[in-house]
Amino acid sequence: MLQQVPENINFPAEEEKILEFWTEFNCFQECLKQSKHKPKFTFYDGPPFATGLPHYGHILAGTIKDIVTRYAHQSGFHVDRRFGWDCHGLPVEYEIDKTLGIRGPEDVAKMGITEYNNQCRAIVMRYSAEWKSTVSRLGRWIDFDNDYKTLYPQFMESVWWVFKQLYDKGLVYRGVKVMPFSTACNTPLSNFESHQNYKDVQDPSVFVTFPLEEDETVSLVAWTTTPWTLPSNLAVCVNPEMQYVKIKDVARGRLLILMEARLSALYKLESDYEILERFPGAYLKGKKYRPLFDYFLKCKENGAFTVLVDNYVKEEEGTGVVHQAPYFGAEDYRVCMDFNIIRKDSLPVCPVDASGCFTTEVTDFAGQYVKDADKSIIRTLKEQGRLLVATTFTHSYPFCWRSDTPLIYKAVPSWFVRVENMVDQLLRNNDLCYWVPELVREKRFGNWLKDARDWTISRNRYWGTPIPLWVSDDFEEVVCIGSVAELEELSGAKISDLHRESVDHLTIPSRCGKGSLHRISEVFDCWFESGSMPYAQVHYPFENKREFEDAFPADFIAEGIDQTRGWFYTLLVLATALFGQPPFKNVIVNGLVLASDGQKMSKRKKNYPDPVSIIQKYGADALRLYLINSPVVRAENLRFKEEGVRDVLKDVLLPWYNAYRFLIQNVLRLQKEEEIEFLYNENTVRESPNITDRWILSFMQSLIGFFETEMAG
């Protein structure tokens, strides 16, 4: 029965009525029941943390997911849509550390891992009700009742299985590498995590002299923005193929050596210096210099305080003479290892504390402490006559993605997954995926894959899936556990939970006469867990083996462009390592939703309107349409403007409503005045000679055809 349509409409109120209808008749579950025996369309939903509220980025990605999965259902497929939750890792621990005032491992030891993890468990789902409310209010159909959580024992067991497959294939190793290190969270980060949060910072810029032993009137000049690493200097490095010069500094009257292409770093005018000699960097190889400090004079017998050569030294910055502190720089570490100045088990480190005293504990140096140490070092260098110039320098620097504190680089013993030897296979599998936009596949993601580094999967933390390695004291005997049953058999204990407090105390008898094997203390990087979600969400291979294998890889995933160095990457690495194939067939990548001024949305700055208030004011459809009809769906950034949502209401939804109202008015007039019942008959319409009817039908079919082509990719 057609009814008169009111002149005015409140879109948010109408949406609420529809939501009530869906709930009353359980429409989403009914659709799933009706499509149960149809072909499957597999969709993976990337798990968010429930320790924060949903923002516009989540709303955008959720809208894309809802559109594609609804279309797949309407096209004759069965589409399971399970919501997932990321429950472990730094985001949760950092919140607890802030709340409880925990400053380091000693504080956790005092309260005990059991209590610490209980505190983490208590806040994991802090905002789950708000998530469910907001996502449902947006009209998205997703299964919250049949969700997956990374803290479920079944999920964690599948993560163990994934790891054991990698271990058995020889893809896991323990090594010491210079890694990005979060001092606030007291743990190393993976290379892709360290690229997620760069900021422009102002650091000291110092030029330091290194007098040659053969003639102390001649000094090499090195440049650094981290003076606090200078006490750990063991060598300097030059490019063997570049041109270097010996000059006389006119103002200072000193003889200096640096790369000719970098003279402009020290001098504004050519008249400020006089070139005395030119020679390639190789000429400097092996020359000895006087150390800045005496802390590691004993290393001299291993070849320390020598000029090394390597092509990593570039002509774009500095002086072409690079100070080598192997504990704090990846290239420094590699070069000093190549020249046998250091060994893996002997890493000289001598950072400085706030009072200017030297210590061997680098994790004390975050934020203000580093700044104070820098001042102390610069003062000492000046007193010793080794400081040539000290200024400041603005550059882009990585910050911890969770604590928002500057990262440092330091050599850390960690567990790694070999990625570098599978780069070609990663690139091939990437080419098998259909990306929207395609440019992301070729450029941003493809370029990232070409330079992929071995993945640091261990974290020196507590609230996470424990790495299932039981080792002897000398690390020569290692047992990798791949299931709960295997651990129960080897340990003799009954196991119901896999968190640290439940498994750390378990031991395994040695098969080599080495006593008892103990679990290593580290937990998995939470990205390893989210990368394992295709298998872990269905407890593969312990359950649902055939169902999973028939539906893998996924037909579709969608997330923001920041996931090219996050979830997209870890999914691809693990699927390639496990099965030699990509984890998904199609992926839509959205750009970032920024504040109206182009800045990152910030709760602290309050530079964006609350999403819930926007939905209440204009309705979810207006917000969804605003987002989906913007450049953000082509991986470009969107400056969110409330007026844009209002304009969708004014320029799209209201004209559509008025057109519908006009139709209903005429249908009712037809019935009343001419007593003709309006019944739509497709066959009658197709045969209509009316040119307007034919144009409307043609336009509609063109629109449907265009839509089907676009959705088919």
Side-chain angles (χ1 to χ4, degrees):
M1 288 286 293
L2 289 170
Q3 295 179 338
Q4 183 69 48
V5 178
E7 187 174 342
N8 297 313
I9 182 171
N10 182 324
F11 282 102
E14 291 298 320
E15 290 174 356
E16 294 279 6
K17 290 177 190 173
I18 292 167
L19 291 170
E20 286 171 13
F21 178 87
W22 287 350
T23 302
E24 183 183 350
F25 293 98
N26 205 10
C27 293
F28 175 41
Q29 292 301 329
E30 281 300 317
C31 283
L32 290 176
K33 279 183 196 171
Q34 290 175 18
S35 66
K36 193 170 183 180
H37 301 294
K38 292 181 178 178
K40 273 199 168 187
F41 180 92
T42 312
F43 158 69
Y44 297 153
D45 200 14
F49 288 98
T51 48
L53 291 166
H55 54 65
Y56 288 106
H58 297 122
I59 291 170
L60 166 63
T63 300
I64 294 170
K65 295 169 188 177
D66 195 46
I67 290 169
V68 173
T69 52
R70 279 178 182 272
Y71 179 77
H73 171 81
Q74 291 168 356
S75 301
F77 290 93
H78 176 77
V79 192
D80 278 322
R81 282 155 271 183
R82 294 179 68 194
F83 202 82
W85 302 98
D86 224 336
C87 303
H88 289 147
L90 289 182
V92 182
E93 291 197 27
Y94 187 65
E95 291 296 317
I96 291 299
D97 289 355
K98 275 195 306 182
T99 303
L100 302 182
I102 289 172
R103 301 175 64 85
E106 302 81 13
D107 292 340
V108 178
K110 278 179 196 169
M111 73 184 298
I113 291 175
T114 301
E115 177 57 25
Y116 183 84
N117 278 357
N118 284 341
Q119 293 285 341
C120 290
R121 189 180 275 104
I123 70 158
V124 157
M125 302 303 288
R126 179 193 283 167
Y127 294 116
S128 59
E130 288 85 346
W131 270 88
K132 187 171 182 179
S133 170
T134 302
V135 171
S136 301
R137 180 62 187 84
L138 282 159
R140 184 181 173 196
W141 278 6
I142 186 85
D143 194 345
F144 282 101
D145 297 328
N146 186 32
D147 65 2
Y148 71 87
K149 293 186 179 80
T150 59
L151 58 67
Y152 287 157
Q154 303 95 312
F155 192 102
M156 296 169 73
E157 184 180 26
S158 289
V159 172
W160 277 16
W161 174 84
V162 169
F163 180 73
K164 186 171 172 63
Q165 305 312 299
L166 304 184
Y167 184 85
D168 290 347
K169 292 181 179 190
L171 295 175
V172 176
Y173 69 94
R174 183 175 186 258
V176 177
K177 285 191 177 182
V178 173
M179 299 298 303
F181 191 91
S182 171
T183 53
C185 298
N186 196 36
T187 189
L189 302 180
S190 58
N191 281 318
F192 66 81
E193 284 178 295
S194 71
H195 282 75
Q196 291 187 326
N197 188 17
Y198 269 81
K199 295 185 180 185
D200 285 339
V201 296
Q202 198 169 60
D203 276 329
S205 169
V206 298
F207 293 83
V208 183
T209 60
F210 294 86
L212 296 176
E213 278 192 358
E214 65 187 42
D215 182 358
E216 291 205 1
T217 65
V218 180
S219 296
L220 296 153
V221 182
W223 171 73
T224 183
T225 59
T226 55
W228 61 275
T229 65
L230 287 170
S232 297
N233 172 268
L234 290 185
V236 295
C237 190
V238 299
N239 189 308
E241 296 165 12
M242 295 284 187
Q243 187 90 328
Y244 285 75
V245 289
K246 176 176 158 184
I247 63 164
K248 181 176 181 181
D249 183 308
V250 174
R252 298 177 182 89
R254 300 180 69 169
L255 301 178
L256 307 171
I257 293 175
L258 66 158
M259 189 186 284
E260 184 170 13
R262 296 303 305 156
L263 283 164
S264 59
L266 265 179
Y267 303 103
K268 290 182 179 176
L269 303 171
E270 289 186 18
S271 57
D272 291 341
Y273 58 86
E274 178 188 348
I275 296 178
L276 305 177
E277 289 182 50
R278 284 186 173 88
F279 42 82
Y283 168 77
L284 297 168
K285 182 181 178 181
K287 288 188 181 293
K288 301 284 185 179
Y289 64 84
R290 183 154 57 86
L292 285 168
F293 300 94
D294 297 337
Y295 301 102
F296 299 111
L297 284 178
K298 63 182 180 184
C299 296
K300 195 168 182 180
E301 58 198 51
N302 295 332
F305 313 120
T306 305
V307 180
L308 312 179
V309 293
D310 194 273
N311 288 321
Y312 95 86
V313 180
K314 304 297 181 191
E315 61 180 346
E316 283 77 29
E317 63 179 16
T319 63
V321 179
V322 180
H323 138 65
Q324 305 282 286
Y327 195 89
F328 301 112
E331 294 293 355
D332 306 21
Y333 180 81
R334 178 182 62 78
V335 172
C336 287
M337 286 281 290
D338 289 348
F339 283 87
N340 298 314
I341 290 175
I342 58 167
R343 303 189 309 275
K344 278 189 179 180
D345 57 351
S346 174
L347 286 166
V349 51
C350 189
V352 185
D353 69 15
S355 64
C357 301
F358 294 95
T359 171
T360 54
E361 186 46 73
V362 69
T363 53
D364 289 343
F365 294 107
Q368 191 59 42
Y369 294 109
V370 168
K371 291 176 183 174
D372 291 341
D374 282 341
K375 290 174 186 174
S376 177
I377 294 283
I378 292 169
R379 185 173 62 248
T380 304
L381 292 172
K382 192 172 183 180
E383 289 166 359
Q384 293 176 352
R386 302 289 292 270
L387 181 69
L388 199 65
V389 177
T391 58
T392 56
F393 173 71
T394 301
H395 63 138
S396 186
Y397 193 82
F399 280 60
C400 175
W401 64 279
R402 191 65 236 168
S403 64
D404 214 28
T405 54
L407 299 176
I408 64 168
Y409 286 79
K410 65 174 255 187
V412 184
S414 303
W415 291 88
F416 296 85
V417 167
R418 298 184 197 277
V419 176
E420 292 165 31
N421 63 353
M422 66 168 94
V423 165
D424 290 343
Q425 201 176 1
L426 290 172
L427 289 166
R428 280 196 299 274
N429 283 339
N430 183 41
D431 285 341
L432 297 174
C433 306
Y434 183 78
W435 286 73
V436 179
E438 193 173 349
L439 191 68
V440 177
R441 174 176 64 83
E442 296 170 5
K443 299 293 183 187
R444 187 176 174 114
F445 196 56
N447 290 340
W448 177 251
L449 292 177
K450 285 174 191 169
D451 293 326
R453 295 286 172 262
D454 288 355
W455 176 10
T456 330
I457 55 160
S458 58
R459 295 290 178 271
N460 300 29
R461 299 300 304 182
Y462 311 95
W463 178 241
T465 299
I467 296 179
L469 291 174
W470 270 256
V471 302
S472 57
D473 292 342
D474 57 9
F475 277 85
E476 288 184 5
E477 185 179 357
V478 181
V479 174
C480 182
I481 301 294
S483 70
V484 169
E486 187 181 358
L487 182 57
E488 287 183 337
E489 182 185 340
L490 292 175
S491 70
K494 189 71 183 164
I495 297 157
S496 58
D497 179 60
L498 296 182
H499 287 92
R500 282 193 62 177
E501 62 271 24
S502 301
V503 299
D504 276 9
H505 64 283
L506 301 178
T507 59
I508 293 174
S510 167
R511 293 172 184 165
C512 310
K514 292 180 179 286
S516 295
L517 307 185
H518 298 266
R519 198 191 72 81
I520 63 171
S521 62
E522 292 94 331
V523 298
F524 281 110
D525 166 14
C526 61
W527 290 100
F528 191 91
E529 295 180 309
S530 56
S532 302
M533 67 74 58
Y535 332 106
Q537 69 165 342
V538 292
H539 198 208
Y540 179 85
F542 308 101
E543 295 180 73
N544 306 302
K545 194 167 188 295
R546 184 179 170 187
E547 291 88 339
F548 167 78
E549 289 169 1
D550 288 347
F552 184 83
D555 292 291
F556 166 67
I557 65 170
E559 296 295 341
I561 195 162
D562 51 332
Q563 295 303 327
T564 51
R565 292 174 180 179
W567 192 52
F568 298 152
Y569 175 69
T570 60
L571 282 174
L572 183 63
V573 167
L574 292 181
T576 300
L578 290 171
F579 302 112
Q581 63 184 114
F584 49 82
K585 299 173 187 174
N586 302 282
V587 53
I588 296 177
V589 187
N590 61 263
L592 302 178
V593 183
L594 305 173
S596 58
D597 59 0
Q599 299 296 308
K600 190 176 177 180
M601 287 187 172
S602 164
K603 276 188 243 173
R604 183 173 52 81
K605 294 179 184 172
K606 295 181 179 174
N607 59 354
Y608 65 95
D610 174 46
V612 175
S613 68
I614 290 290
I615 295 167
Q616 289 170 344
K617 193 171 180 181
Y618 304 104
D621 281 344
L623 176 58
R624 284 169 57 124
L625 193 52
Y626 169 68
L627 292 171
I628 213 72
N629 194 42
S630 74
V632 80
V633 295
R634 295 189 293 276
E636 298 172 28
N637 290 344
L638 168 69
R639 294 187 177 197
F640 186 91
K641 292 185 171 69
E642 183 175 341
E643 313 89 80
V645 183
R646 185 196 63 209
D647 289 347
V648 167
L649 198 69
K650 181 167 62 76
D651 300 335
V652 180
L653 295 180
L654 277 173
W656 166 83
Y657 176 76
N658 286 330
Y660 174 70
R661 185 166 160 268
F662 178 73
L663 168 67
I664 297 303
Q665 284 174 332
N666 279 279
V667 167
L668 293 173
R669 184 188 59 78
L670 186 72
Q671 292 176 350
K672 184 178 181 181
E673 295 179 9
E674 301 186 29
E675 298 183 348
I676 298 174
E677 188 178 5
F678 178 79
L679 291 171
Y680 179 77
N681 185 312
E682 196 171 328
N683 295 323
T684 307
V685 170
R686 279 187 184 150
E687 295 160 8
S688 172
N690 186 296
I691 192 68
T692 307
D693 285 348
R694 298 176 76 85
W695 177 83
I696 290 171
L697 284 170
S698 172
F699 199 91
M700 183 183 72
Q701 291 303 324
S702 297
L703 176 63
I704 291 170
F706 171 77
F707 190 80
E708 286 175 344
T709 302
E710 289 295 305
M711 293 301 283

